């Protein structure tokens, strides 16, 4: 009877203090030991899993960056040095400009002009093969002699854009990278969406996140006027009837940039270029391909509008366009946002950059024949329904007032300069190819 079974409470908390002490500490030690051994196991396992995950992640990023460095042509200390040196400003109050499409026609001319007056310029170009990439490489080589470095990459590459803004605090972005050409949109519609829509959004995202945010000047197009028949075209005219997918993507670009201006305070200037031509031009354009065909004795196709009316364009010389671009950069006020947040209203501007004197396509051919001293073999056909508009004519009073834009080169003079360049670049002499 004397051996009373200890209650659970007694077992855990025996009444004899000494016993309690001994028993308790012994018991507690066992408990703590058990507890320790089990929690240390968990702890060690946790550590082990964390270490395993961390090494997996770092291995993955090593593989990622490794393959990026292997496949892409950007990144690394030397590359960053080239970018920084190209972005260096060499005049008081100068700007540092990221020029997209820098190996393109307008991009190469604008980059050279900016660099010449002491601004910092970094180019970006994907060197796609829409037209002969060797011409783009030649423009790149020329830019290098002026100290402009062109990064080979796409505006759709968000990582590259983030890196560029990380390396340089660009004050301005001159966005000229695009899928150009009106009629090619029927052949390859998705390339227009890729460059002119997706690429534009990727660039806007990078610009709105950049700190400081740059001011943006970008290339829209006279084609946004589409079926508008009120001439000359003014910026306030309707632009909701595009005649080609190209025009539609440029118009979409105007709306997209408006959104970024409204939400994030990005300073935006959109330039509606009117059929730009000149030395180092685009081989897909009529004046260029006509010259090539005329010199090679091949026929040219001259489109004609409804009721046998000649098509006409407000052809604009490259040097005038460059002045308009630089005037836009110089007058663009700062973006107001930072860290992706708008701090106040920022300017949103749109300007026509044309020549204000339309010339018909047959007259363009006459001028080329005179400069080349070769007769063209003309094949006149009715304009196919491929996105062309019959006539363009710019009202440039806004650009004149706000940018000081004043075109000075007529088609005759401008084509003379183009032909001179063409003959020297392609090595023609008296109509014969010499190399
Ligand atoms: O002003 C613009 O915004 C646009 O100007 C040009 O587009 P486009 O005016 O069609 O220039 P070209 O392709 O050089 O054509 C000029 C004229 O020649 C005509 N043409 C073109 C090609 C041809 O083989 N035959 C021909 O008669 C066209 O119908 C057009 O009337 C550019 O190609 C576009 O990228 C630019 O956005």
């Amino acid at each position: 009877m004397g051996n009373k079974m200890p209650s659970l409470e007694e077992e855990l908390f025996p009444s004899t203090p000494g016993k309690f002490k001994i028993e308790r500490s012994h018991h507690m030690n066992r408990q703590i030991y058990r507890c320790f051994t089990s929690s240390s196991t968990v702890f060690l396992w946790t550590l082990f899993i964390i270490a395993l995950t961390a090494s997996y992640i770092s291995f993955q990023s090593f593989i990622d960056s490794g393959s990026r460095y292997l496949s892409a042509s950007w990144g690394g200390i030397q590359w960053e040095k080239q970018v920084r040196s190209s972005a260096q400003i060499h005049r008081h109050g100068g700007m540092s400009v990221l020029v997209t499409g820098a190996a393109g026609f307008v991009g190469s001319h604008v980059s050279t002009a900016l660099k010449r007056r002491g601004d910092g310029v970094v180019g970006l170009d994907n060197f796609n093969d829409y037209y002969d990439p060797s011409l783009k490489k030649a423009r790149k080589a020329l830019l290098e002699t002026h100290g402009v470095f062109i990064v080979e990459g796409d505006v759709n590459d968000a990582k590259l854009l983030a890196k560029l803004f990380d390396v340089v605090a660009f004050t301005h972005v001159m966005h000229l990278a695009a899928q150009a050409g009106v009629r090619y949109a029927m052949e390859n519609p998705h390339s227009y969406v890729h460059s002119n829509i997706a690429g534009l959004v990727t660039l806007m995202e990078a610009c709105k996140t950049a700190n400081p945010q740059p001011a943006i000047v970008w290339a829209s197009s006279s084609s946004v006027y589409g079926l508008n028949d009120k001439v000359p075209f003014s910026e306030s005219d309707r632009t909701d009837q595009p005649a080609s997918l190209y025009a539609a993507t440029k118009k979409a670009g105007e709306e997209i940039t408006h959104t970024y201006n409204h939400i994030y305070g990005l300073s935006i200037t959109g330039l509606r270029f009117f059929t730009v031509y000149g030395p180092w031009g685009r081989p897909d354009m009529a004046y260029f391909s006509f010259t090539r065909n005329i010199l090679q004795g091949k026929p040219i196709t001259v489109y004609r509008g409804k009721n046998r009316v000649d098509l006409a364009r407000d052809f604009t010389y490259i040097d005038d366009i460059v002045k308009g671009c630089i005037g836009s950069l110089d007058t663009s006020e700062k973006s107001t946002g930072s860290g992706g947040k708008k701090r106040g209203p920022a300017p949103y501007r749109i300007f026509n950059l044309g020549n204000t004197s339309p010339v018909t396509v047959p007259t363009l051919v006459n001028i080329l024949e005179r400069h080349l001293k070769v007769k063209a073999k003309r094949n006149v056909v009715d304009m196919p329904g491929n996105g062309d508009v019959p006539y363009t004519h710019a009202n440039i009073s806004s650009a004149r007032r706000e940018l000081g834009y004043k075109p000075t080169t007529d088609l005759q003079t401008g084509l003379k300069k183009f032909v001179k360049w063409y003959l020297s670049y392609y090595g023609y002499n008296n109509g014969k190819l010499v190399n």
Side-chain angles (χ1 to χ4, degrees), residues 181 183 221-222 246 273 275 282 285-286 301 303 311 313 388:
R183 292 163 292 280
S221 157
S222 72
Y246 168 70
F273 294 160
T275 316
R282 270 173 39 206
M285 288 184 66
T301 305
Y303 299 134
L311 302 180
R313 288 289 179 274
D388 261 337

Side-chain angles (χ1 to χ4, degrees), residues 180-197:
V182 175
R183 292 163 292 280
Y184 179 66
M186 288 181 73
E187 266 174 64
N188 191 355
H190 292 291
S191 68
Y192 290 79
V193 177
H194 179 75
S195 295
N196 305 357
I197 306 275

Side-chain angles (χ1 to χ4, degrees), residues 16-333:
T16 316
K19 198 182 168 194
F20 166 72
K21 259 190 185 158
I22 299 157
E23 283 269 334
R24 185 173 177 204
S25 60
H26 179 70
H27 189 80
M28 285 297 277
N29 278 348
R30 234 177 33 222
Q31 286 259 329
I32 290 165
Y33 175 73
R34 233 189 259 142
C35 177
F36 178 73
T37 47
S38 68
S39 65
S40 71
T41 314
V42 170
F43 179 68
L44 283 175
W45 271 108
T46 313
L47 264 185
F48 179 66
I49 289 166
I50 291 172
L52 204 68
T53 317
S55 55
Y56 175 75
I57 291 170
S58 64
F59 181 68
Q60 277 297 316
S61 71
F62 171 74
I63 299 272
D64 276 3
S65 59
S67 62
R68 184 165 61 70
Y69 283 117
L70 285 177
S71 64
S73 56
W74 62 271
I77 293 165
Q78 187 55 30
W79 178 86
E80 283 187 24
K81 236 174 113 179
Q82 283 174 298
V83 170
R84 277 203 191 90
S85 133
S86 192
Q88 202 82 50
I89 300 169
H90 294 286
R91 72 180 174 96
H92 183 69
M95 43 182 130
S96 56
V97 190
L98 174 66
V99 180
T100 72
F105 173 33
V106 181
S108 55
H109 282 274
V110 171
S111 299
T112 311
L114 286 170
K115 196 73 187 179
R116 268 205 189 118
R117 68 174 201 174
D119 292 312
V121 180
V122 176
L124 175 65
D125 204 292
N126 69 4
F127 293 89
N128 71 24
D129 62 359
Y130 167 59
Y131 62 79
D132 184 10
S134 75
L135 180 58
K136 300 179 184 182
K137 295 282 176 194
R139 295 186 190 124
K140 176 187 158 120
L142 188 64
L143 284 178
E144 274 167 2
T145 68
H146 288 96
V148 177
F149 178 60
I150 302 186
V151 173
E152 185 161 350
D154 198 293
V155 282
N156 281 283
D157 188 343
K159 277 188 188 163
L160 169 56
L161 293 178
K163 181 76 190 173
L164 284 168
F165 280 105
D166 194 35
V167 175
V168 179
F170 291 108
T171 57
H172 295 75
V173 170
M174 182 83 223
H175 177 47
L176 298 166
Q179 176 58 63
V182 175
R183 292 163 292 280
Y184 179 66
M186 288 181 73
E187 266 174 64
N188 191 355
H190 292 291
S191 68
Y192 290 79
V193 177
H194 179 75
S195 295
N196 305 357
I197 306 275
L200 178 66
V201 171
T202 310
L203 180 71
M204 288 298 115
E205 284 291 316
C207 291
K208 73 130 211 264
T209 314
N211 209 346
Q213 288 178 335
I216 295 145
V217 178
W218 74 286
S220 182
S221 157
S222 72
S223 63
V224 298
Y225 291 107
L227 306 182
N228 170 53
D229 52 11
K230 179 186 156 291
V231 285
F233 301 157
S234 299
E235 288 86 350
S236 56
D237 289 349
R238 58 187 294 195
T239 51
D240 57 351
Q241 305 163 288
S244 65
L245 184 71
Y246 168 70
T249 61
K250 285 294 181 182
K251 179 61 191 166
E254 293 185 355
E255 314 292 20
I256 288 166
T257 51
H258 185 271
T259 314
Y260 279 85
N261 166 265
H262 174 68
I263 300 180
Y264 301 107
L266 284 177
S267 163
I268 303 284
T269 307
L271 303 175
R272 293 177 179 164
F273 294 160
F274 282 69
T275 316
V276 189
Y277 72 99
W280 294 97
R282 270 173 39 206
D284 62 312
M285 288 184 66
Y287 73 97
F288 201 121
S289 64
F290 286 176
T291 300
R292 185 178 49 220
N293 282 14
I294 293 170
L295 285 170
Q296 293 177 355
K298 293 182 183 161
I300 60 169
T301 305
V302 177
Y303 299 134
R304 191 173 48 192
K306 270 190 200 137
N307 306 320
R308 303 182 153 238
V309 173
D310 289 334
L311 302 180
R313 288 289 179 274
D314 196 359
F315 295 101
T316 311
Y317 189 62
I318 183 65
D319 290 1
D320 291 325
I321 288 291
V322 168
K323 283 183 201 144
C325 291
I326 291 186
S328 300
L329 289 167
D330 286 344
T331 56
S332 62
E333 283 164 36

